[in-house]
Amino acid sequence: MHIHEYQAKSVLKSFGVPVPNGAPAMDVDEAGEVAAGLEGPVFVVKSQIHAGGRGKGRFKELGEGAKGGVRIASSVDEVRADAAEMLGNTLVTVQTGPSGKKVGRLYVEEGSEIAKEFYLSLLVDRVTSRVSFVVSTEGGMDIEAVAAETPDRIVSFSIDPATGFMPHHGRRVAKALDLDGETAKQAHALAANLYAAFLAKDMEMLEINPLVLTGAGDLKCLDAKVGFDSNALARHQDIAEMRDESEEDEKEIEASRHDLSYIALDGDIGCMVNGAGLAMATMDIIKHYGAEPANFLDVGGGATAEKVAAAFKIITADPNVKGILVNIFGGIMRCDVIAEGVIAAVKEVGLDVPLVVRLEGTNVAEGKRIIDASGLNVISADDLDDAAQKIVKAVGG
Ligand code: GDP
Ligand code: MN
């Protein structure tokens, strides 16, 4: 799960991480009030969307000459004018895709004088099974570009969970950023606090880009992007409450309401499968036969007919879906229950695309009988291979 920059900064602040003073604003008046309460004289007005690249982004509704999604303002009136231009408009950045994201919230903070910009992130490194630091002197830039063009400017190391964060890790961060004296000490503390926050809140990634050295010689996090392990949210009520559903895929929200594991993908074959392993295998075999899955969907072991119907509706609501493959192995789940759920859903929402059903396991004969007796135009398949070939053929692949 992702949160907004202003939320990430409040979490980090509670761990003693230095961030500029600021507060969120939902409308123009509030933006003005926040600015009036800050020291100034320079303010930064920032669009809050779950995507980076806001500074260089463009608003769809504004002309080419208009400013981007992160703006420097030198008076409260200017803050209000910027807020009025940003709120309710659609910001397009390299990370939002061409359709962009509507700005519903702003963050107004005190402007910082920047002497140097750095990059610092923490992530779960699956190769070493540890939390890794990625540090670079090339701040404020796209880190993928830095990795491709000047990889020697990126320093990365992981933390042994048995020892935790050690003073030498802090020194390594300071050295990678070419800092010494008092600022090096600040870098040690910053790195230790970020690591503590990362562990305590079950983060998946934490990216500070840019981390800056201010004119006064202090380190400050000017931007913060944080992702959390969704499976650990049950023990972080404070984080779970930060969820902004307007930033998430409509279909994924609906799926989570029905306790379905669903991830929207870019292809055109909708998949309804029980069990994560079978779902992965189904996606693989669709790709093997030259097509692309429109989603990952695991209806789980003990799904009811209602849950199957909900899953079917989510799949058919996706305009990219040109065909549907239902692939169920009835172990705990009975094939007749699946068949009833699929038919109930088709009767309710209709079916405009080819549907291939492969059932196997408990009550398979009854399941097939129910589907045959329904009079629906369903292509039945005998095994996974057969099913994949049939659906790929049906969508014209
Ligand atoms: P992003 O474009 O979505 O990554 O948003 P950022 O929060 O990183 O802001 C974009 C850029 O605006 C930063 O890389 C900085 O160069 C600049 N910026 C942000 N805050 C300040 C500030 O307080 N002072 C100055 N001078 N520049 C800032
Ligand atoms: Mn940034």
Side-chain angles (χ1 to χ4, degrees):
M1 188 193 88
H2 287 90
I3 56 176
H4 288 294
E5 173 200 2
Y6 75 91
Q7 296 164 325
K9 282 179 170 170
S10 81
V11 172
L12 295 181
K13 197 176 173 185
S14 72
F15 284 85
V17 172
V19 297
N21 291 323
M26 307 293 165
D27 57 50
V28 175
D29 288 338
E30 203 179 351
E33 283 158 27
V34 171
L38 295 172
E39 207 163 296
V42 176
F43 310 97
V44 189
V45 190
K46 311 185 77 172
S47 303
Q48 299 296 290
I49 55 171
H50 287 189
R54 297 164 300 168
K56 295 197 179 82
R58 285 288 162 259
F59 284 96
K60 259 191 179 169
E61 295 84 354
L62 308 179
E64 274 299 312
K67 289 188 278 180
V70 174
R71 301 179 177 193
I72 311 283
S74 47
S75 68
V76 172
D77 283 341
E78 219 177 290
V79 168
R80 288 179 59 95
D82 280 328
E85 267 197 17
M86 293 156 114
L87 280 167
N89 281 335
T90 313
L91 183 58
V92 181
T93 80
V94 286
Q95 291 185 12
T96 60
S99 55
K101 284 199 163 179
K102 198 166 165 177
V103 177
R105 305 177 188 194
L106 299 174
Y107 188 52
V108 182
E109 66 179 14
E110 249 155 40
S112 306
E113 194 195 323
I114 301 177
K116 274 183 188 162
E117 290 187 295
F118 308 117
Y119 176 94
L120 197 165
S121 69
L122 283 81
L123 51 94
V124 179
D125 181 351
R126 287 171 208 288
V127 176
T128 58
S129 304
R130 291 175 176 186
V131 175
S132 286
F133 272 80
V134 179
V135 189
S136 174
T137 49
E138 307 304 293
M141 310 196 1
D142 180 7
I143 196 67
E144 279 84 10
V146 179
E149 288 153 29
T150 47
D152 53 303
R153 291 188 197 154
I154 297 179
V155 172
S156 179
F157 61 90
S158 64
I159 310 281
D160 185 337
T163 64
F165 190 91
M166 304 285 279
H168 68 87
H169 294 126
R171 287 196 291 275
R172 226 159 146 183
V173 170
K175 185 160 183 283
L177 299 180
D178 204 13
L179 302 173
D180 51 29
E182 190 50 40
T183 20
K185 278 191 196 147
Q186 285 189 24
H188 298 182
L190 174 76
N193 290 338
L194 289 174
Y195 183 73
F198 192 94
L199 287 198
K201 296 295 182 188
D202 289 309
M203 293 178 187
E204 238 167 30
M205 64 84 98
L206 163 57
E207 185 180 62
I208 311 295
N209 189 22
L211 164 69
V212 303
L213 181 64
T214 66
D218 293 316
L219 287 179
K220 246 188 221 176
C221 300
L222 281 209
D223 192 7
K225 201 171 168 192
V226 177
F228 299 89
D229 178 352
S230 301
N231 294 312
L233 276 181
R235 55 186 193 192
H236 301 294
Q237 190 58 34
D238 56 334
I239 303 296
E241 280 168 9
M242 293 178 178
R243 187 166 179 188
D244 179 359
E245 290 199 343
S246 70
E247 288 284 338
E248 296 173 22
D249 186 296
E250 196 64 46
K251 299 186 292 297
E252 290 181 14
I253 296 167
E254 181 64 16
S256 75
R257 277 194 198 111
H258 296 278
D259 202 22
L260 299 161
S261 302
Y262 173 91
I263 310 286
L265 300 169
D266 297 331
D268 53 14
I269 297 182
C271 307
M272 180 156 85
V273 190
N274 66 330
L278 190 58
M280 300 291 255
T282 305
M283 289 161 59
D284 282 347
I285 201 160
I286 286 171
K287 280 174 172 280
H288 177 75
Y289 284 110
E292 293 288 331
N295 64 278
F296 167 94
L297 184 123
D298 172 11
V299 293
T304 57
E306 287 75 35
K307 207 164 156 179
V308 169
F312 201 82
K313 278 188 232 167
I314 290 166
I315 293 174
T316 52
D318 181 349
N320 295 328
V321 168
K322 305 275 184 303
I324 301 171
L325 172 55
V326 174
N327 181 25
I328 302 288
F329 183 81
I332 300 168
M333 189 160 204
R334 292 169 13 217
C335 293
D336 53 324
V337 171
I338 296 286
E340 275 165 8
V342 168
I343 286 159
V346 169
K347 283 193 176 140
E348 198 181 325
V349 300
L351 182 65
D352 306 325
V353 296
L355 169 65
V356 172
V357 177
R358 179 254 176 165
L359 296 174
E360 190 56 79
T362 310
N363 289 6
V364 62
E366 177 64 3
K368 283 186 172 162
R369 193 197 61 75
I370 291 170
I371 285 178
D372 289 344
S374 71
L376 294 173
N377 182 19
V378 177
I379 307 163
S380 109
D382 300 322
D383 56 39
L384 183 47
D385 199 67
D386 183 40
Q389 290 189 53
K390 279 178 172 156
I391 191 64
V392 172
K393 185 158 176 260
V395 300

